[in-house]
Amino acid sequence: MALDKVGIAKRIAQELRDGWYVNLGIGIPTLVANYIPEGIEVEFQSENGILGMGAFPFEGEEDADLINAGKQTITARKGASFFDSATSFAMIRGQHVQLTVLGAMEVSQNGDIANWKIPGKMVKGMGGAMDLVASAENIIVAMMHSNKAGESKILSKCTLPLTGVGCVKKVVTELAVLEIKDGKFHLIERAPGVSVEEIISKTEGELVIPNNVPEMVL
Amino acid sequence: MALDKVGIAKRIAQELRDGWYVNLGIGIPTLVANYIPEGIEVEFQSENGILGMGAFPFEGEEDADLINAGKQTITARKGASFFDSATSFAMIRGQHVQLTVLGAMEVSQNGDIANWKIPGKMVKGMGGAMDLVASAENIIVAMMHSNKAGESKILSKCTLPLTGVGCVKKVVTELAVLEIKDGKFHLIERAPGVSVEEIISKTEGELVIPNNVPEMVL
Amino acid sequence: MNKVVKNVEEALVGIKDDMTLMLGGFGLCGIPENSIAHLVKMGVKNLTCISNNAGVDGFGLGLLLESKQVKKMISSYVGENDEFERQMLSGELEVDLIPQGSLAERCRAGGAGIPAFYTPAGYGTEVAEGKEVRIYNGKPHILEEALTADFAIVKAWKGDTEGNLIFKATARNFNPMMATAGRITIAEVEELVEAGELNPNDIHTPGIFVQRIFKGEKFEKRIEQRTVRQK
Amino acid sequence: MNKVVKNVEEALVGIKDDMTLMLGGFGLCGIPENSIAHLVKMGVKNLTCISNNAGVDGFGLGLLLESKQVKKMISSYVGENDEFERQMLSGELEVDLIPQGSLAERCRAGGAGIPAFYTPAGYGTEVAEGKEVRIYNGKPHILEEALTADFAIVKAWKGDTEGNLIFKATARNFNPMMATAGRITIAEVEELVEAGELNPNDIHTPGIFVQRIFKGEKFEKRIEQRTVRQK
């Protein structure tokens, strides 16, 4: 059965390693923070200027001056720090953040990502996404395999304006975990109960299928 | 009579204007802080990371963590701030400092300055001088008219390695105040009792002498 | 060096049609709301506004957009504003969208006398069109130029009479860089204290960058996404 | 994320011959004196040291120079050190002198993923030799590249277990930029506290930039120019 958003977040959380600083994008990526594997410690960076982002505040304890990049009210953990936007992107551009998780509208088999603009329709801006994808060594995309019209978003070539080129390393969808290597998608894992055939049929980009494709363990 | 160092500092202090942020170099320039004209307020920046530099500390109150760019112990005035070296030179390079006063080994008639190196003999480094002279809109040089061998240091062309090109606006020596304009030195004032002839004889660079050269009033 | 002005009227004197303004804030967090409200009252037109976001309908820079005072926005994300989208898609409003980190760094560069720098952000995208590309460390980078403004308007938590500023939590965001990049920088603060009351170690923006400071009359500090958990 | 190591021995593990080190401080102010003393003990050789100054005879980096562990110095001012001058003039020591502001900005750039930037400092001087020149705002600027190091060693006043740092007064200087530019950054602090004890608003160097932190055993904090006035 295809994963829901929480399932995708749980699978991505398995990629976290002890001691990592992590930037989580808006949407599904934000949920990853709820499923940190036991026994490891990670620290969340939000590009609007906080390291050590904590849980949402209790009702009545919201502080308008303390938000994340999604403009949601948050709290700060012990040991947190605040800084300006230039310093925040110094962390990102300078590769001090070990993992970036973000959403996408399209990903291509050479690792290109499009997630900021639909010409003539949606022009909200790229926010910090272009800085993040251009700099991060380790980028995982959380996304749905297909759009609402049923068309694959896992493509040989992106059709939408790009956010970054050749930068995505891994994609986790409701159906599969794909690694991007040598200009191809490599099927690493499939969602519990999802067949390789379904993944093939919903993937437009070139897909490499190993002999054995294990099911995710969530 | 030629001025002493204090005299030079006093004359330069007359150039201060209310509300200016000022960077004073090591040596004679440092003395300028002692002669701020009455009724004006200026703030001193030291490039090692303080704005609002105060007087030297009372004996026994020195703090090893609080020094100026000459490595002297200092104090901080009310309203002072501390910052890192990148921010400090952001102030300087970004032209937030209205006046820079520094010493020189040579100045030329097009505003070049040499003050950091005597090849094969003295190689101490430029410190912040190159950043200061390259960026400041308003640079006054405090120096002696001649070197110990009696040779003019007010030249048609510098002979020592340059610190900056075409940047010096004004020179105050023990003999005169010179403005640099249109590739020439213009004699603006002479030290009390010093003759125009003496200044001419000790100036190697091209010197423009107006009909009337007033004496400095200190 | 006393930088205090009486009120927002006095603080904004000199802002005229066709000028370029920088405005601090991220979303509605840390925006100079008193100054924005007064810009609407002043009615200055054809402004170029450099601000990470464009406010929301009815608050923040959204107010300036509704009154059609903005000719051009230079921002990284403008997604919370229907009137903005309408003006942009209809061509009434010029929009220059810039990666957020590049925007922050370009403001910093403008204040720091760095006219241009290389960054990897935006390479291979439409942001890189017409920009010089150079390879460093095996990776393509694009050349981005500094941004400055006629006036920078920032919002701080505490400020002193010398213009020293301290920001609170994530309300710091773009304010410190923008404060350095205005030919004239105006700071509106929640709390205005005497020189000497702020610890010189804790100051985020040294007073040298601030020309005018005033205590804002009223801070609504609207929250865009109130997100809470239950006790 | 606990970054605490037991002592200077543990902190400096991995520093080897031929490496490039950044060392914070201005003159003798804010230098990592415990680490420098231990580098002498370790006897690592052929180091390239990036530091604004080179210490004095008998203290600070002067100790590393005396024991001939330094192959190359990258500094802005080295005038307080006779042994340095001797080694430099005799050709034993390579020296790269850089304008102080360019040095600070190159370290910041190294930590911030900015591979190069333009600055007016040094144009028309020997510093500009071989460097690209470009006109901005009618003024020539030269292209300077980022600096990074195998290890950056900084000294802070207070630090917490997460590696967050606060510097005191002008002992801040080059420490914050260098902290960002080391592949591994080591902080020696006067006071080491638990996470949560430092106000997150007041932190100068966020812990993300620091890999190892330890409480220095002893801080002599020598004064270079004791200058006082009488009461």
Side-chain angles (χ1 to χ4, degrees):
Chain A
M1 210 185 62
L3 304 178
D4 58 5
K5 289 179 178 185
V6 165
I8 295 175
K10 280 185 176 169
R11 177 58 191 81
I12 290 174
Q14 293 176 5
E15 304 285 319
L16 300 174
R17 295 291 172 270
D18 190 41
W20 276 6
Y21 291 93
V22 179
N23 182 294
L24 300 177
I26 297 169
I28 301 176
T30 301
L31 300 175
V32 172
N34 300 329
Y35 305 101
I36 306 169
E38 259 182 69
I40 76 163
E41 212 183 332
V42 297
E43 201 80 78
F44 295 106
Q45 198 254 16
S46 193
E47 64 266 29
N48 60 313
I50 175 173
L51 202 67
M53 186 166 39
F56 294 129
F58 290 120
E59 209 169 335
E61 295 179 5
E62 315 92 88
D63 181 349
D65 291 326
L66 183 46
I67 64 170
N68 64 17
K71 282 106 179 177
Q72 297 171 308
T73 44
I74 53 163
T75 57
R77 294 179 58 193
K78 268 187 190 180
S81 56
F82 302 123
F83 35 83
D84 64 45
S85 303
T87 305
S88 185
F89 283 93
M91 293 175 189
I92 290 166
R93 222 189 293 100
Q95 305 192 326
H96 303 278
V97 174
Q98 278 79 28
L99 174 64
T100 292
V101 183
L102 74 177
M105 301 195 280
E106 296 177 348
V107 168
S108 78
Q109 64 199 36
N110 72 329
D112 293 356
I113 175 172
N115 73 350
W116 76 283
K117 187 178 183 179
I118 306 175
K121 205 169 144 197
M122 189 213 75
V123 192
K124 292 183 181 304
M126 66 294 280
M130 283 192 184
D131 309 272
L132 281 158
V133 301
S135 303
E137 288 277 320
N138 193 4
I139 297 172
I140 300 179
V141 167
M143 66 189 293
M144 292 296 158
H145 223 92
S146 312
N147 64 19
K148 281 168 191 163
E151 296 158 340
S152 180
K153 295 156 71 175
I154 311 293
L155 303 172
S156 50
K157 201 170 176 323
C158 292
T159 65
L160 293 171
L162 296 182
T163 309
V165 294
C167 50
V168 178
K169 300 284 185 293
K170 212 171 246 184
V171 181
V172 179
T173 74
E174 79 281 20
L175 303 178
V177 178
L178 305 168
E179 206 175 294
I180 297 179
K181 223 170 41 187
D182 311 323
K184 290 168 192 145
F185 293 105
H186 296 252
L187 181 58
I188 301 298
E189 289 176 28
R190 56 201 168 86
V194 169
S195 68
V196 169
E197 288 66 34
E198 181 179 354
I199 295 165
I200 292 175
S201 76
K202 291 189 170 161
T203 303
E204 190 269 335
E206 191 172 347
L207 189 62
V208 178
I209 319 269
N211 289 332
N212 175 35
V213 182
E215 277 192 4
M216 299 178 200
V217 180
L218 295 177
Chain B
M1 209 185 66
L3 303 178
D4 58 5
K5 289 179 178 186
V6 165
I8 295 175
K10 280 184 175 169
R11 177 57 192 84
I12 290 174
Q14 294 175 4
E15 303 285 318
L16 299 174
R17 294 293 172 271
D18 189 41
W20 276 6
Y21 291 93
V22 178
N23 183 294
L24 300 177
I26 298 168
I28 301 177
T30 301
L31 301 175
V32 173
N34 300 329
Y35 306 101
I36 305 171
E38 259 183 68
I40 76 164
E41 212 183 331
V42 296
E43 200 80 78
F44 295 106
Q45 198 255 16
S46 192
E47 64 266 29
N48 60 315
I50 176 173
L51 200 68
M53 187 167 37
F56 295 129
F58 290 119
E59 209 169 335
E61 294 178 6
E62 315 92 87
D63 181 349
D65 291 326
L66 183 46
I67 64 170
N68 64 17
K71 282 106 180 177
Q72 297 171 308
T73 45
I74 53 164
T75 57
R77 294 179 58 194
K78 269 188 188 177
S81 56
F82 303 123
F83 35 83
D84 63 46
S85 302
T87 304
S88 185
F89 283 92
M91 293 175 189
I92 290 166
R93 223 188 293 100
Q95 305 192 327
H96 303 278
V97 174
Q98 279 79 29
L99 175 64
T100 291
V101 183
L102 73 177
M105 302 195 279
E106 294 177 349
V107 168
S108 78
Q109 63 198 38
N110 71 330
D112 293 355
I113 176 172
N115 72 349
W116 75 282
K117 187 178 183 180
I118 305 173
K121 204 170 144 198
M122 188 212 75
V123 191
K124 293 183 182 302
M126 67 292 283
M130 282 193 184
D131 308 272
L132 281 159
V133 301
S135 303
E137 289 277 322
N138 193 4
I139 298 172
I140 301 179
V141 166
M143 66 189 292
M144 291 296 159
H145 223 92
S146 313
N147 65 18
K148 281 170 191 163
E151 295 158 339
S152 180
K153 295 156 71 176
I154 311 293
L155 303 173
S156 51
K157 203 172 176 318
C158 291
T159 65
L160 293 170
L162 295 183
T163 308
V165 294
C167 52
V168 177
K169 301 283 184 294
K170 214 172 245 184
V171 181
V172 179
T173 74
E174 80 280 20
L175 303 180
V177 179
L178 305 168
E179 206 175 293
I180 298 180
K181 223 169 41 186
D182 311 322
K184 290 167 191 146
F185 293 106
H186 296 253
L187 181 57
I188 302 297
E189 290 176 25
R190 56 202 169 83
V194 169
S195 69
V196 170
E197 288 65 35
E198 180 178 355
I199 295 166
I200 292 175
S201 76
K202 291 190 172 163
T203 302
E204 190 270 332
E206 191 173 346
L207 189 61
V208 178
I209 317 273
N211 288 333
N212 175 36
V213 181
E215 276 192 2
M216 299 178 199
V217 181
L218 295 175
Chain C
M1 223 108 84
N2 197 310
K3 313 279 181 73
V4 178
V5 294
K6 224 169 34 212
N7 50 31
V8 68
E9 284 83 2
E10 214 174 281
L12 268 52
V13 163
I15 298 185
K16 295 197 165 47
D17 293 354
D18 303 305
M19 279 190 166
T20 297
L21 309 183
M22 282 185 183
L23 298 118
F26 183 98
L28 301 180
C29 181
I31 59 171
E33 46 178 290
N34 290 280
S35 298
I36 292 171
H38 191 67
L39 283 171
V40 174
K41 217 183 261 178
M42 287 169 77
V44 283
K45 292 186 310 288
N46 282 322
L47 299 173
T48 295
C49 292
I50 304 173
S51 170
N52 187 55
N53 311 87
V56 296
D57 293 299
F59 199 64
L61 282 185
L63 297 171
L64 275 184
L65 289 163
E66 278 157 41
S67 51
K68 308 245 168 82
Q69 295 175 260
V70 183
K71 183 182 68 180
K72 182 177 181 180
M73 280 296 313
I74 300 177
S75 301
S76 92
Y77 190 79
V78 293
E80 325 290 355
N81 196 312
D82 291 340
E83 174 61 15
F84 184 99
E85 206 150 359
R86 194 196 63 69
Q87 290 187 19
M88 178 168 58
L89 292 175
S90 74
E92 287 166 64
L93 183 68
E94 285 175 64
V95 179
D96 192 359
L97 290 169
I98 296 176
Q100 195 172 129
S102 298
L103 180 61
E105 193 68 15
R106 289 174 68 181
C107 293
R108 180 189 178 275
I114 302 288
F117 59 88
Y118 289 93
T119 173
Y123 170 75
T125 76
E126 59 186 59
V127 161
E129 279 167 26
K131 287 176 184 158
E132 190 185 322
V133 174
R134 208 174 274 195
I135 309 288
Y136 284 103
N137 311 314
K139 241 173 85 168
H141 290 70
I142 62 175
L143 185 66
E144 291 281 8
E145 295 194 2
L147 288 170
T148 56
D150 296 304
F151 282 82
I153 311 179
V154 303
K155 188 263 165 177
W157 180 34
K158 296 179 185 177
D160 71 14
T161 52
E162 302 247 331
N164 293 303
L165 305 178
I166 293 178
F167 304 93
K168 190 180 144 204
T170 56
R172 193 179 322 178
N173 55 63
F174 281 82
N175 285 296
M177 288 82 68
M178 289 186 171
T180 70
R183 262 177 290 283
I184 295 178
T185 292
I186 301 161
E188 61 171 79
V189 300
E190 292 183 56
E191 210 179 307
L192 183 58
V193 303
E194 288 301 314
E197 288 187 38
L198 303 178
N199 183 335
N201 267 323
D202 297 343
I203 286 164
H204 298 136
T205 292
I208 193 171
F209 295 120
V210 175
Q211 280 68 48
R212 304 174 191 170
I213 189 168
F214 73 101
K215 185 175 173 337
E217 201 184 345
K218 173 175 157 268
F219 287 94
E220 183 178 340
K221 301 216 275 185
R222 205 182 281 190
I223 292 176
E224 230 167 305
Q225 304 283 344
R226 189 176 305 272
T227 315
V228 298
R229 63 187 154 139
Q230 301 304 319
K231 266 198 197 175
Chain D
M1 223 108 84
N2 198 311
K3 312 281 181 73
V4 178
V5 295
K6 224 168 34 211
N7 50 31
V8 68
E9 284 83 2
E10 213 173 282
L12 269 51
V13 163
I15 298 183
K16 296 199 161 52
D17 293 354
D18 304 304
M19 278 189 169
T20 297
L21 308 183
M22 282 186 184
L23 298 117
F26 183 98
L28 301 180
C29 180
I31 61 172
E33 46 178 288
N34 290 281
S35 298
I36 293 170
H38 191 68
L39 283 171
V40 174
K41 215 183 263 180
M42 285 169 78
V44 282
K45 291 185 312 288
N46 282 322
L47 299 174
T48 295
C49 292
I50 304 173
S51 171
N52 187 56
N53 310 88
V56 297
D57 293 299
F59 199 64
L61 283 184
L63 297 170
L64 276 185
L65 288 163
E66 278 157 40
S67 50
K68 309 244 167 84
Q69 294 174 262
V70 183
K71 183 184 68 179
K72 182 176 180 179
M73 279 296 311
I74 299 176
S75 301
S76 91
Y77 190 79
V78 293
E80 326 289 357
N81 195 314
D82 291 341
E83 174 62 15
F84 184 100
E85 205 149 0
R86 195 197 62 69
Q87 290 187 20
M88 178 168 59
L89 293 175
S90 74
E92 285 168 64
L93 183 66
E94 284 175 63
V95 179
D96 191 0
L97 291 169
I98 295 178
Q100 197 174 127
S102 298
L103 180 61
E105 192 67 15
R106 288 174 70 179
C107 293
R108 179 188 179 276
I114 302 287
F117 60 88
Y118 289 92
T119 174
Y123 170 75
T125 76
E126 61 186 58
V127 162
E129 279 167 25
K131 286 176 186 158
E132 191 184 321
V133 174
R134 208 174 275 195
I135 309 289
Y136 284 103
N137 310 315
K139 241 173 87 168
H141 291 72
I142 62 174
L143 185 67
E144 291 281 8
E145 295 195 1
L147 288 170
T148 56
D150 296 305
F151 283 82
I153 311 178
V154 302
K155 187 263 166 178
W157 180 33
K158 295 180 185 176
D160 72 14
T161 52
E162 302 248 331
N164 293 303
L165 305 178
I166 293 177
F167 304 93
K168 192 181 142 204
T170 58
R172 195 180 321 179
N173 54 63
F174 281 82
N175 285 297
M177 287 82 67
M178 290 185 171
T180 70
R183 261 176 290 282
I184 295 177
T185 292
I186 301 161
E188 61 172 78
V189 300
E190 292 184 56
E191 208 180 307
L192 183 58
V193 303
E194 288 302 314
E197 288 188 38
L198 303 178
N199 182 336
N201 268 323
D202 298 343
I203 286 163
H204 297 135
T205 292
I208 194 171
F209 296 120
V210 175
Q211 280 68 50
R212 304 175 190 169
I213 189 168
F214 72 102
K215 187 177 175 334
E217 201 183 346
K218 174 175 156 269
F219 288 95
E220 183 177 340
K221 300 215 277 185
R222 204 182 282 192
I223 292 175
E224 228 167 305
Q225 304 283 343
R226 190 175 304 271
T227 316
V228 297
R229 64 189 154 137
Q230 302 304 318
K231 268 198 199 181

